[in-house]
Amino acid sequence: MNVKEKEIEYVKNGKRVDGRKIDELRPIKIDVGVIDRADGSCYLEWGQNKIMAAVYGPREALPKHIQNPYRALVNYHYRMATFSVPDRKSPKPGRREMEISKVSGEALEKAIFLEKYPNTTIDVFVEILDSNAGTRVAGLAAASVALADAGIPMKDIVAAVGVGKIAGEVVLDLNKTEEDAPDAVDIPIAILPRTEEIVLLQMDGLLKLDEWKKALKMGIEGCKKVYELQKTALRKAYLEAEKEEKVKENAK
Amino acid sequence: MNVKEKEIEYVKNGKRVDGRKIDELRPIKIDVGVIDRADGSCYLEWGQNKIMAAVYGPREALPKHIQNPYRALVNYHYRMATFSVPDRKSPKPGRREMEISKVSGEALEKAIFLEKYPNTTIDVFVEILDSNAGTRVAGLAAASVALADAGIPMKDIVAAVGVGKIAGEVVLDLNKTEEDAPDAVDIPIAILPRTEEIVLLQMDGLLKLDEWKKALKMGIEGCKKVYELQKTALRKAYLEAEKEEKVKENAK
Amino acid sequence: MNVKEKEIEYVKNGKRVDGRKIDELRPIKIDVGVIDRADGSCYLEWGQNKIMAAVYGPREALPKHIQNPYRALVNYHYRMATFSVPDRKSPKPGRREMEISKVSGEALEKAIFLEKYPNTTIDVFVEILDSNAGTRVAGLAAASVALADAGIPMKDIVAAVGVGKIAGEVVLDLNKTEEDAPDAVDIPIAILPRTEEIVLLQMDGLLKLDEWKKALKMGIEGCKKVYELQKTALRKAYLEAEKEEKVKENAK
Amino acid sequence: MQSDASLELRTDRIREMITQGNRFDSRKLDEYRKIEIIKNISENAEGSARVKLGKTDVVAGVKLIVGTPYPDNPDEGTISIGAEFLPIASPFFEAGPPKIGETELARVVDRGIRESKCIDFKKLCITENEKVWIAFVDIYTINDDGNLFDASSIAALSALLEAKVPKIEDDKIVKGEYTGKLHLARKPLLCTTYKIGGKLVSDPTFVEAQGMDARFSVATTEDNYLTAFQKGGSGSFSPKEIDECIDLSFRHGKAIRNLL
Amino acid sequence: MQSDASLELRTDRIREMITQGNRFDSRKLDEYRKIEIIKNISENAEGSARVKLGKTDVVAGVKLIVGTPYPDNPDEGTISIGAEFLPIASPFFEAGPPKIGETELARVVDRGIRESKCIDFKKLCITENEKVWIAFVDIYTINDDGNLFDASSIAALSALLEAKVPKIEDDKIVKGEYTGKLHLARKPLLCTTYKIGGKLVSDPTFVEAQGMDARFSVATTEDNYLTAFQKGGSGSFSPKEIDECIDLSFRHGKAIRNLL
Amino acid sequence: MQSDASLELRTDRIREMITQGNRFDSRKLDEYRKIEIIKNISENAEGSARVKLGKTDVVAGVKLIVGTPYPDNPDEGTISIGAEFLPIASPFFEAGPPKIGETELARVVDRGIRESKCIDFKKLCITENEKVWIAFVDIYTINDDGNLFDASSIAALSALLEAKVPKIEDDKIVKGEYTGKLHLARKPLLCTTYKIGGKLVSDPTFVEAQGMDARFSVATTEDNYLTAFQKGGSGSFSPKEIDECIDLSFRHGKAIRNLL
């Protein structure tokens, strides 16, 4: 909300401040299986965002009275490192982090076959090491890959992206400069790509109905792009693990 | 403790700042059974004080290790809404609220046949929505009505009132202007009216023994006036419930 | 870290600011069995430091899931009274108190035959009522005496002392004035005196290796001096208890 | 009190009914219960309101406090919305530190209001760089018979619409005197649609809400802006369902706005 | 250590004894145990005292801190009393955040002292509107053998009577130097009467106090003022019993005041 | 993920092996695993680093914040080190308030750095009596395969060595601009020796560390100073063993310092 920013031309000749097209994602890099002690894990870079996700479980839900005899519980923890933001974040989890954890966990629940693991908890931890807008969707995308890496059976991989409005224009995947624009609207969205079921959807800002319709369409397309990157990363990790296995066998 | 207040004549020709007589209560209004989901409830207005009280229980005391195999536990929660006082109250319960909860719960224990409900807890919640001196006794009076509404067997209904001293004069039911007087003494008192057993008694201020004797007498008389209003409200609620029952039966 | 202090001559003709020699302890006074309700207790004065220590247990460790079926747990609580320091200490336990509690508890574990008391906890509470440098070692020495007073079987009594460097000189048992010197180094050390096993050792400051060698030697000697005082106090308490017992018997 | 023992059984039955388009209390699926708004329920509050949605009952109050501006916005006051699920309102609510349900509700109501830009934060500046008004809106539940989100949104907006700005003299608040009302440029309202038994349902009761798969809250304004979304619950919505939810929110928002 | 195993049994027996006017330690029902007051137990405190009431043992210390006055009373310092039931004192005390028993004790001792107006808060002003003294009095239990209320009241008053006011130079406290004692205009003391087995009992031991129905604490001054009441426990008092309690408190307060 | 089921059994076996001078991964008892230092892992941090010690993985970041100096040191900034055992790093770590293990690690790493006097706190003064820099160093675990102390010390020092001081203009931080690096006069490093099966062992893996009796951490500098000690664990060290630990710490500190 800086005065100078008001004079920025956020979209000029179809290009944005960082040179991207209207519906272009920032560069995304996904590494699978990066945390040895976790059951599943993922390191994800999304533009400047840097995220570690790990999954532990299904494991016995404790204390016992929280157990659900019909299904597993999903416990999602989204946290930002103190140094991951321009002004140091307090080490205590804030209300924003708690809300993001809640809606992200609910988004994953639809994807997982929870009824297979009664009385257990599936703990998903997402740690933001560096940030530049869009960490909640990046974190959710990373968590979903970590779940797959943990071998937890899922209907589909949750794909997520931010879509929004800036200077009257609907654009995909806002970065921090864009998000800080005076009239910016941010819409995190997550779907099960195969069925286009919407599992996470939030928004704040001043948005007209026709803008929303455009944004929804762009968001779903964006999710599908992220989905392809998630699948590629998982496939690559699977092939590498297989290769390693073969090397070991041959060594015998 | 404002300088100007020192010049107020708090009692003049037997009348107080708000026109009341020395031993006159502020207007009191009691509605029974106002919270549908509670086992018993009461809305009470006492002058400007506005109070919601609800009772849940007897219900199993949890965690189990707090259970008393000989009697029910009374759990009293007195809380003020942030906007119920001139300066916003912090949303966290303060030391004052905790102390009031303790002595009020103890005051109710004498009235309830606790031994009838071993291993249970009777939860009493008192929420102050607006305040103007005397909320602890008003809350206790409301809680007692809510307990009766919940059908919990009691020896008697706890009646409560504030009595005090102001400008050298012993008066009943101080309001905020009076309570803020430089030499004001406030004495919350609660009794079982039938036996005149004192179940709550606190005081702070500078009081002489003869003033106390006068105050005690006036306090007991005041409690009895409150008692009549409590009984009237409960009787009215009972008759209305009966009428409703009949209407339903006739409708069959 | 006051400017004036920099000009103090901390050691002059082999004498320190309070007249002590390089390797001289401050006066130590130990009273055993001072807290009636505790299983074992000790009041210890060490220079201006004034310390109460009490032991409760071995008692059942609760909640059950913390129990160790092979040995007792040692729970050490070091706390400072708000008024025990020049600037009022916050009533909340701080990070320093937590760390001291941890290393002190570990120091005692080596001394106690923990395997004799599976599933239990031995709670050791150390309360600092007045302080002037060296409270962690004084507290540990007091706790060790309280453990013996509680009749808990131990390999040896833990003896402890501070040793350090000031104005280039290695000295025993720094007081506050010395500890506040600009280049002061403080080294709390605790041993099992019979075997010279080191059970607590911390340090902060800028220390050269040869200084450390000198300090270690002086620290072990210092611990042994403290050990003698601990044993004398326990012996005295034992004899008094015996005498009392006899008086009671004779009175029958 | 309603018996919670048979809750699960009833939930199944109600779900079935809803799948067939019926509701226990004969309402249409997209029909709200009777809405009652009582203003100024606390004299100590700068503004306050109590809202009943059928048997659901919440109160909200506003206190204006003098505070320090954020360094980034030295000439702007601010707003802070909190919510507490008082244990008087339900056997399932407990006293204690804020739980996630309270945090989510408060934050969603907050966004609906804040992002509508209905409050001109510059008007809440007292002295640039030094003193600004902080408007604390606190929402408390009195009885939880479902749809606390919408009841809370109505209560918070009603309390803000009533709120007066205290008078300041010699840098101090003059108690009981005011310089006028807090002006709101828009009236954003949050309306939530629940997905129960495959159907979209408005304003469910507590028992109905027990059977929900998911919910979607949409804040709208009288000038046809969307100002906040929040999807909750472990279920999902199709893009088409989302569009229906948004339509419902515009429609109900308009109707409720007429009651303010 | 006393064995707590047989506690319940002993409680019944002691109750019976008390009903018959007898006490285990041969005291009369209205008799206190031996009181010992040790002053200045901590050099770092501005004032401190340790009080033994038989085997009950508590300490209190005063620290004077420079703070900001309340806007309502810009020329007045303040006092803050806290109490901690240290776990060294009883197998039933635990470390952790303040529990209600500690809060009640601290607040009742605080009221007895504060409301007696024994401290002239205006004398605790350093610079109007800017700096005042805050006197923190902290009470800690060393051994709990009953009647912590009265022991704590004596300890807090004794510590305050010893308290010195630090010297201020160039806006900073000069460590170790003082401008004189904190002056107390009155000596308010809290004395508590317990109702056990239908009788009124003074200064019960821990085991005796286990059998109580109710207790009534009364703070009195040497010039015959009552400054605080606190009834505790789930039992009740008749108006006549309250009068007897007040008489006992005046009587014991006078006796204890002579020991200060 | 490694299976923790067979942990105890493996611990016994590893202990035995170590007693015979052997390690599961063929290292010598005093040999470290491969150390990898990755700098500037967070652009938002003033300085940051990620350190891998075999499979052990930690990150540290520095933020410089404008704060108020302590009254005792009006012309000095300060440093504050925190550590969090993130639950991503181990099945045994939980989210929640700081636990004692985190506090101990943070304080020991802090002492090693602070007491080496490598940071000139006077250079962190912006305006005497008013504004100073506070350097917050926060350490987070990514994967716990043992020896978090040493990995954290390397990460904290690396992050500080990278840290830049933000530019200040008109009393405000100019985002993204810096006046230069934070200068460190020394490079203190903490090296920990574990006592396992009667032997002194460097840089144990998680499973090896499970079998430890005690550990001893020593911070050393390139100019041969000892700047911090910390003994941990319920075991003990002989004076001779302490000397050996110190020698190891000097040796390893030197080697690691070459990697920075």
Side-chain angles (χ1 to χ4, degrees), chain E residues 137-154:
Chain E
V137 184
D138 286 293
I139 301 161
Y140 294 97
T141 59
I142 302 297
N143 192 59
D144 173 18
D145 193 21
N147 202 15
L148 291 175
F149 271 73
D150 295 4
S152 298
S153 163
I154 304 168

Side-chain angles (χ1 to χ4, degrees), chain E residues 16 25 43 50 57 91 103 125 134 140 153 171 201 231 242:
Chain E
E16 249 176 73
D25 56 7
E43 289 179 41
R50 181 172 172 186
D57 195 349
T103 301
C125 181
I134 306 172
Y140 294 97
S153 163
D171 268 15
V201 177
K231 182 255 162 186
I242 291 290

Side-chain angles (χ1 to χ4, degrees), chain C residues 34-39 43 48 50 52-54 56 59 77 79-89 91 125-127 129-132, chain E residues 1-2 4 41-45 50 55 59-63 65 84 86-92 95 136 138 140 142-145 175 206:
Chain C
V34 294
I35 298 174
D36 183 55
R37 299 206 65 194
D39 293 315
Y43 175 69
Q48 188 192 323
K50 290 178 196 71
M52 280 282 174
Y56 286 86
R59 53 188 179 185
H77 284 264
R79 280 289 305 287
M80 300 196 96
T82 55
F83 51 76
S84 69
V85 282
D87 295 319
R88 181 178 186 252
K89 204 200 86 69
F125 302 106
V126 170
E127 307 289 343
L129 301 179
D130 201 3
S131 75
N132 185 299
Chain E
M1 187 201 62
Q2 59 184 72
D4 294 308
I41 56 131
S42 172
E43 289 179 41
N44 276 306
R50 181 172 172 186
K55 286 180 176 166
V59 296
V62 181
K63 286 299 295 177
I65 299 296
E84 202 170 325
L86 291 184
I88 53 168
S90 161
F92 302 125
F136 283 98
D138 286 293
Y140 294 97
I142 302 297
N143 192 59
D144 173 18
D145 193 21
K175 268 165 204 175
F206 175 77

Side-chain angles (χ1 to χ4, degrees), chain B residues 34-40 43 48 50 52-56 59 77 79-89 91 93 125-127 129-132, chain D residues 1-2 4 41-45 48 50 55 57 59-63 65 84 86-93 95 136 138 140 142-145 175 206:
Chain B
V34 293
I35 298 173
D36 183 55
R37 298 206 65 193
D39 293 313
Y43 174 68
Q48 186 193 324
K50 290 178 196 71
M52 281 282 174
V55 169
Y56 286 87
R59 54 186 178 185
H77 284 264
R79 279 289 305 284
M80 301 196 94
T82 54
F83 52 74
S84 69
V85 281
D87 296 319
R88 178 175 189 256
K89 204 200 85 69
F125 302 107
V126 170
E127 306 289 343
L129 301 178
D130 201 3
S131 75
N132 185 300
Chain D
M1 187 203 61
Q2 60 183 72
D4 295 308
I41 55 132
S42 172
E43 290 180 38
N44 277 306
S48 62
R50 182 173 172 185
K55 285 180 176 166
D57 195 347
V59 295
V62 181
K63 287 298 295 177
I65 299 297
E84 202 170 324
L86 290 184
I88 55 169
S90 161
F92 302 126
F93 293 165
F136 283 98
D138 285 292
Y140 295 97
I142 303 297
N143 192 59
D144 173 18
D145 193 21
K175 267 166 204 176
F206 174 78

Side-chain angles (χ1 to χ4, degrees), chain C residues 25 55 68-69 93 101 104 115 118 125 135 141 169 171 190 194 211 222 237:
Chain C
L25 291 170
V55 169
N68 182 325
S101 296
S104 302
E115 60 286 358
F125 302 106
T135 57
E169 195 94 45
V171 298
R194 258 182 253 162
E211 294 169 335

